[in-house]
Amino acid sequence: MKVLIVEDETSSYQNLKAILAETYPEMEVVGNTESVESTVEWLTTQPRPDLILMDVHLSDGSAFEIFNQMEVDVPIIFTTAYDQYALEAFKVNSIDYLLKPVKTIDVKRAIEKFHRLTSADVTGYLSRMLRLTPAPQYVSTLLIPHRGTLLPVSTNDISYIYTTDKNTVVCLTDGQQHLYPKSLEALKTLLPPHQFFRANKQFIVNRNSVKNITVWFDNRLLLTLNIQTPEQLFVSKNKAAEFKEWMTN
């Protein structure tokens, strides 16, 4: 049996992996993802696992955002530190949950329950689990730390966001630049997707800032914005079609 572990805390991942190795040596942990973005990418590019053990809180947001981006047809056991009210929801709608810190006896309970399920049971759980998915919430203003204060910046005033050397820089349409304490992955979950696009690993761009689009020789797209960027801004050929659809819709 192949298992994917979705967990952003190294100690929790190692603990869970050790419990599985000791209790169910026939299980193979085929991957570990730490964010919504990396989990969606893994599930869309790798062979389907038999089971997912998934933490609710990931490095770039709630695990339920995964279900807003794709259809997941793999049985899931959640790990969580949610309060009792939320645990009751998990009990009804998910196959099972593991309350942190995860213990061996709880893993055994969850896996044994999973083994008893029929395919119809799994389908029913996955269908009901969508009820737990919160509607996405997007911001219209970022509060940017600036000289001991918090500077309110409207998302309409952001031209692009750039990351390099582990620093994230918010670049405004008037040319101002501000360091921001969150990663591009985290910002992507906050910004309205109709207005902002993750062009590549280093850039998020505002639709209204795109001045010109040049088709490059390898089918990449070279974007020219209304202000200068620190390096050429390319959309990869794998994202080119998605970007053009986003721009036109």
Side-chain angles (χ1 to χ4, degrees), residues 104-208:
T104 300
I105 188 172
D106 297 325
V107 174
K108 287 183 177 180
R109 178 205 72 210
I111 297 297
E112 288 171 3
K113 181 178 180 180
F114 165 67
H115 282 152
R116 292 194 300 268
L117 296 177
T118 65
S119 59
D121 291 331
V122 173
T123 300
Y125 276 116
L126 291 174
S127 175
R128 293 198 298 277
M129 190 173 61
L130 294 176
R131 301 173 187 171
L132 298 176
T133 306
Q137 300 290 323
Y138 303 114
V139 300
S140 58
T141 301
L142 291 182
L143 293 178
I144 299 179
H146 181 66
R147 297 178 180 176
T149 65
L150 292 175
L151 179 66
V153 172
S154 169
T155 54
N156 293 327
D157 294 331
I158 298 173
S159 178
Y160 66 91
I161 304 170
Y162 175 70
T163 185
T164 182
D165 298 328
K166 298 183 179 180
N167 289 323
T168 301
V169 182
V170 176
C171 303
L172 307 185
T173 53
D174 63 3
Q176 293 186 58
Q177 298 186 359
H178 300 283
L179 290 176
Y180 195 69
K182 292 189 177 183
S183 66
L184 254 61
E185 288 80 8
L187 279 168
K188 182 182 175 184
T189 67
L190 298 176
L191 298 170
H194 71 276
Q195 186 178 9
F196 291 90
F197 186 86
R198 179 73 181 269
N200 54 44
K201 291 182 179 180
Q202 292 182 281
F203 283 93
I204 291 177
V205 298
N206 187 332
R207 173 198 303 274
N208 296 328

Side-chain angles (χ1 to χ4, degrees), residues 5-240:
I5 298 179
V6 181
E7 172 61 68
D8 66 336
E9 296 178 2
T10 302
S11 59
S12 296
Y13 165 69
Q14 292 175 341
N15 176 55
L16 192 53
K17 186 177 181 181
I19 291 175
L20 290 177
E22 179 181 355
T23 312
Y24 299 97
E26 73 279 6
M27 287 188 176
E28 178 188 0
V29 176
V30 294
N32 169 221
T33 58
E34 301 179 351
S35 65
V36 172
E37 183 177 26
S38 61
T39 302
V40 170
E41 181 179 0
W42 198 98
L43 289 172
T44 54
T45 59
Q46 301 297 321
R48 180 184 185 274
D50 300 299
L51 177 67
I52 299 175
L53 301 177
M54 181 180 290
D55 186 15
V56 172
H57 297 289
L58 301 177
S59 62
D60 60 351
S62 166
F64 295 120
E65 294 170 16
I66 295 169
F67 310 114
N68 288 328
Q69 298 184 35
M70 65 177 297
E71 181 178 349
V72 180
D73 61 351
V74 180
I76 297 172
I77 296 173
F78 286 103
T79 61
T80 180
Y82 268 23
D83 60 29
Q84 189 59 43
Y85 176 82
L87 291 181
E88 291 300 319
F90 278 115
K91 189 180 297 183
V92 172
N93 296 285
S94 68
I95 289 173
D96 212 337
Y97 65 88
L98 303 172
L99 185 59
K100 288 184 172 182
V102 175
K103 300 178 178 61
T104 300
I105 188 172
D106 297 325
V107 174
K108 287 183 177 180
R109 178 205 72 210
I111 297 297
E112 288 171 3
K113 181 178 180 180
F114 165 67
H115 282 152
R116 292 194 300 268
L117 296 177
T118 65
S119 59
D121 291 331
V122 173
T123 300
Y125 276 116
L126 291 174
S127 175
R128 293 198 298 277
M129 190 173 61
L130 294 176
R131 301 173 187 171
L132 298 176
T133 306
Q137 300 290 323
Y138 303 114
V139 300
S140 58
T141 301
L142 291 182
L143 293 178
I144 299 179
H146 181 66
R147 297 178 180 176
T149 65
L150 292 175
L151 179 66
V153 172
S154 169
T155 54
N156 293 327
D157 294 331
I158 298 173
S159 178
Y160 66 91
I161 304 170
Y162 175 70
T163 185
T164 182
D165 298 328
K166 298 183 179 180
N167 289 323
T168 301
V169 182
V170 176
C171 303
L172 307 185
T173 53
D174 63 3
Q176 293 186 58
Q177 298 186 359
H178 300 283
L179 290 176
Y180 195 69
K182 292 189 177 183
S183 66
L184 254 61
E185 288 80 8
L187 279 168
K188 182 182 175 184
T189 67
L190 298 176
L191 298 170
H194 71 276
Q195 186 178 9
F196 291 90
F197 186 86
R198 179 73 181 269
N200 54 44
K201 291 182 179 180
Q202 292 182 281
F203 283 93
I204 291 177
V205 298
N206 187 332
R207 173 198 303 274
N208 296 328
S209 296
V210 179
K211 183 178 179 181
N212 189 47
I213 304 170
T214 303
V215 180
W216 216 243
F217 69 93
D218 55 358
N219 291 324
R220 291 183 297 167
L221 302 176
L222 174 63
L223 306 186
T224 302
L225 305 187
N226 53 11
I227 64 171
Q228 188 174 359
T229 56
E231 59 182 273
Q232 288 186 310
L233 200 174
F234 286 101
V235 178
S236 71
K237 62 180 179 181
N238 293 331
K239 280 192 167 185

